[in-house]
Amino acid sequence: MHASILKYFAEVARSGSIRKASDELHVATSAVSRQIKKLEDELGAPLFERFSDGLRLTAAGEIVLKHAKDTLLKYEIMKSDLGDLQGKCAGRVHIASLDSVAIQFLPEFVMGFHRRHPAVDFRIRYDNYTSIFHFLAEGDADIGVTFDLARPHDIKLVYGVPMPLMAMVSRNHPLARQKSVTLQECAQFKLLLQLDNEVMSSMIAVELGALNRVGRTLVATNNQMMLKPLILSGEGVAFFTPLGLLDELETGEVVALPIAGSRLHNLQVGIVVPRHRQLTHATEVVIESMSVELKKFSDKIHSVIQR
C-alpha cells in the first residue's frame, strides 16, 4: 500500500512547498523531502522544478499527480467499502465551502453527523465561489457548498435552497425600519464589502454602476467575521446571504432587508459534486444527510427573516 507516499506527493504538489506540506500533514519536513526524493529516484524522473518561491510540477510530475489522485480516491473508496462490511459508515470526506456556511451550518452539521457516524472524519476548507469548483475539478474536495451560478459542465448540483443576497444592517441603522431597500439607498451610507467574492462584489458593482452611484466603502475584507461587529455597531451596510448571521437575525441585532429591483434575491446555495467521479459511501451518506439539514437550516432562516 503506497498511499502515504502518494499523499505526501499530492500535498506538496497542491501547496507548492515541502514546508507547507509538512505542516498540513503534521510530518517532519525531512520525512516529506525524503519521500519525494525516493519517489523521483524510483521513477527515474524529476517531478518538481525547484524555484526560489517554491516547487512546480514537471510534465512527469503532472502525470504522477493524476495517478496519485486516482489512487488515493480508490484507496478512500476501499476503506469506505471495508467499513460497510463492518456495518459502519467510515472514511474521510473533503468539503470546500463558502465562509458563511462555515460559521454556523457546517459546525452544527459536523457535530450531529459525528454523533451518528463516529468513524467518518472531515477535512473542510472555505474559499470563494470559483475556487470551490476548482477544488472539486482537481480532486481536492469531494463536496462543495456554494452558489449555484454559472456551474461548470463537469460539476452537478445535488441539492439547492434559495438563499437571497440581502442588505444587512444594525437594528439601530436608519434603514432598519424599511421593508426593503434599493442599492441606491444603500449607497448613501458607508459600505462593508467582501473581497475575494466575485459573485457578490461584481453584481453589486455592476448594479451600483448602472445607477451611477459610487458608495463609500468603509471596509473591504475577505473575512466575514470581521464585518459582523461593524454591522452590529451600525457603521455601515453589508451585503450577505443570511447563512452566517442567523443568530443575530434571531435576536434582532441585525436586520435583513430585501434589495428591491435587484437580481440579487435570486441566488441559490447548493451542494455540488464532480459529475463523473465515483464517490465513497461515506461521501454519499454525508450528502444525503447534509441535504436534509440544509433544507431545515434554510427553512429556519426564512421563518426568521419573514417575521
Side-chain angles (χ1 to χ4, degrees):
M1 306 301 288
H2 55 299
S4 293
I5 191 169
L6 293 185
K7 187 185 299 182
Y8 289 3
F9 170 76
E11 186 56 39
V12 173
R14 187 192 70 80
S15 64
S17 164
I18 287 178
R19 180 186 58 78
K20 290 179 181 178
S22 68
D23 290 343
E24 181 68 23
L25 295 164
H26 305 293
V27 176
T29 302
S30 58
V32 176
S33 181
R34 188 165 55 249
Q35 290 291 352
I36 296 300
K37 179 66 166 58
K38 178 181 177 182
L39 187 58
E40 289 181 320
D41 290 344
E42 181 178 337
L43 297 175
L47 303 179
F48 293 99
E49 293 182 273
R50 274 72 174 175
F51 296 94
S52 59
D53 60 345
L55 305 178
R56 296 192 189 102
L57 287 169
T58 62
E62 295 282 0
I63 294 172
V64 175
L65 180 60
K66 182 179 185 304
H67 166 77
K69 288 184 174 181
D70 289 345
T71 303
L72 290 170
L73 174 61
K74 290 175 182 175
Y75 182 69
E76 290 298 325
I77 291 171
M78 179 199 68
K79 288 199 299 181
S80 184
D81 290 344
L82 291 175
D84 290 347
L85 288 177
Q86 300 167 13
K88 65 181 181 181
C89 182
R92 175 168 294 168
V93 178
H94 294 256
I95 299 174
S97 85
L98 301 169
D99 63 344
S100 56
V101 181
I103 292 174
Q104 183 172 348
F105 173 72
L106 274 180
E108 291 180 355
F109 170 77
V110 167
M111 287 187 291
F113 190 89
H114 180 68
R115 284 192 290 269
R116 299 189 300 276
H117 305 286
V120 174
D121 64 275
F122 294 88
R123 294 295 181 270
I124 300 173
R125 68 176 76 192
Y126 69 86
D127 216 304
N128 60 47
Y129 160 79
T130 302
S131 294
I132 291 171
F133 290 135
H134 176 74
F135 293 143
L136 289 168
E138 293 298 314
D140 296 322
D142 306 307
I143 300 169
V145 188
T146 187
F147 296 116
D148 183 34
L149 284 168
R151 185 171 9 103
H153 73 278
D154 57 345
I155 303 296
K156 68 176 180 179
L157 176 71
V158 178
Y159 185 78
V161 294
M163 196 59 61
L165 188 68
M166 307 179 78
M168 300 291 177
V169 297
S170 162
R171 60 185 168 195
N172 299 318
H173 193 277
L175 293 177
R177 294 187 180 89
Q178 298 188 193
K179 295 296 184 182
S180 66
V181 294
T182 64
L183 282 175
Q184 188 171 10
E185 289 173 320
C186 294
Q188 297 172 17
F189 299 91
K190 298 171 187 175
L191 301 180
L192 309 172
L193 301 180
Q194 289 183 314
L195 291 172
D196 301 332
N197 191 324
E198 60 278 273
V199 175
M200 295 186 187
S201 298
S202 63
M203 293 175 82
I204 291 168
V206 167
E207 298 201 8
L208 286 176
L211 293 167
N212 294 317
R213 298 289 308 198
V214 179
R216 180 193 166 197
T217 302
L218 174 62
V219 173
T221 176
N222 63 352
N223 189 327
Q224 182 174 343
M225 295 300 290
M226 179 181 175
L227 292 182
K228 187 181 290 189
L230 292 173
I231 298 170
L232 292 170
S233 72
E235 284 294 333
V237 182
F239 302 97
F240 287 118
T241 68
L243 272 167
L245 292 163
L246 180 56
D247 286 344
E248 291 77 13
L249 292 169
E250 282 190 295
T251 62
E253 296 174 279
V254 171
V255 177
L257 299 168
I259 303 171
S262 170
R263 60 196 176 109
L264 302 175
H265 64 275
N266 292 324
L267 287 178
Q268 179 171 254
V269 167
I271 300 167
V272 293
V273 298
R275 186 177 298 277
H276 303 297
R277 189 190 313 155
Q278 183 180 359
L279 302 177
T280 66
H281 175 64
T283 300
E284 291 174 340
V285 174
V286 168
I287 290 170
E288 182 179 357
S289 180
M290 185 182 289
S291 298
V292 172
E293 295 305 317
L294 185 60
K295 176 65 165 61
K296 292 179 182 177
F297 200 72
S298 172
D299 289 346
K300 186 175 183 180
I301 285 173
H302 287 286
S303 68
V304 169
I305 63 178
Q306 290 172 8
R307 289 186 304 200

